[in-house]
Amino acid sequence: MAKQKKHPAGTIALNKKALHDYHIEQRFEAGVALVGWEIKSLRAGKGQLTDSYVLLKDGEAWLLGSHITPLSAASTHVIADPTRTRKLLLHKQELGKLFGAVQQKGYACVALSLYWKKHLVKCEIALAKGKKEFDKRAVEKERDSNREIQRAVRSKGKDD
């Protein structure tokens, strides 16, 4: 019998800045059209999603601004462009929802994470609404107060 290969697991890259800058309304899972050297680089953990976004054009979704660093050993015969535009693979209904929502004022489509699903690379994209500066401050203040509460609870348990 043939030995079964283990599929890579886990998250490749996260876009933490998007969670800070946007209210996430709805999440979608999209496939990513990649070439061979990109898969090898992602297996080595060389992907970044910082400052990446999704462009909806001509009935298709495209991932812009993502960076996949080429490996020195891979792709000797191909000129590797680390920031090339990559096509996102979505169902027509999902594309329709995204197009309709992005037409509304204040909505954007952002990439949240790249991850493995069995042997495939998936991109989690989200329909998001931009946060105002005071929203960001309120979230930070709430996070700090929760942290203080947790510290007080932990220290109270140790006193008993």
Side-chain angles (χ1 to χ4, degrees):
M1 283 191 21
K3 187 177 177 183
Q4 286 193 346
K5 291 184 179 178
K6 274 192 172 179
H7 296 297
T11 305
I12 300 166
L14 286 173
N15 189 356
K16 292 181 182 178
K17 190 176 179 188
L19 295 173
H20 182 261
D21 291 340
Y22 296 98
H23 289 291
I24 306 301
E25 302 281 325
Q26 196 172 5
R27 295 171 188 254
F28 297 93
E29 179 181 73
V32 186
L34 298 170
V35 294
W37 68 266
E38 291 173 327
I39 294 291
K40 288 182 178 183
S41 293
L42 290 176
R43 281 200 183 107
K46 303 278 187 191
Q48 293 179 348
L49 277 181
T50 336
D51 297 329
S52 65
Y53 61 97
V54 177
L55 179 68
L56 301 167
K57 184 175 80 174
D58 300 330
E60 295 177 331
W62 300 90
L63 181 64
L64 280 85
S66 63
H67 191 279
I68 299 175
T69 308
L71 295 174
S72 58
S75 70
T76 54
H77 63 283
V78 178
I79 299 166
D81 181 16
T83 57
R84 77 175 183 91
T85 304
R86 295 166 180 93
K87 187 174 182 180
L88 293 175
L89 310 169
L90 288 156
H91 291 285
K92 236 176 201 143
Q93 295 164 320
E94 293 172 331
L95 281 169
K97 281 183 188 177
L98 288 171
F99 272 103
V102 169
Q103 299 300 325
Q104 295 176 13
K105 188 178 179 196
Y107 280 98
C109 194
V110 292
L112 296 179
S113 66
L114 278 177
Y115 58 93
W116 293 103
K117 189 169 184 182
K118 294 188 180 176
H119 64 283
L120 303 172
V121 175
K122 299 290 183 174
C123 180
E124 184 179 29
I125 61 174
L127 192 59
K129 198 166 197 161
K131 283 185 184 177
K132 303 279 190 262
E133 194 63 38
F134 63 86
D135 289 334
K136 294 177 190 176
R137 283 196 297 267
V139 167
E140 203 166 301
K141 196 178 288 185
E142 184 180 329
R143 201 176 297 138
D144 289 343
S145 66
N146 285 342
R147 205 174 293 135
E148 289 296 324
I149 291 169
Q150 289 298 322
R151 278 194 200 121
V153 168
R154 263 190 253 123
S155 65
K156 184 176 187 271
K158 290 179 182 176
D159 293 341
D160 293 339

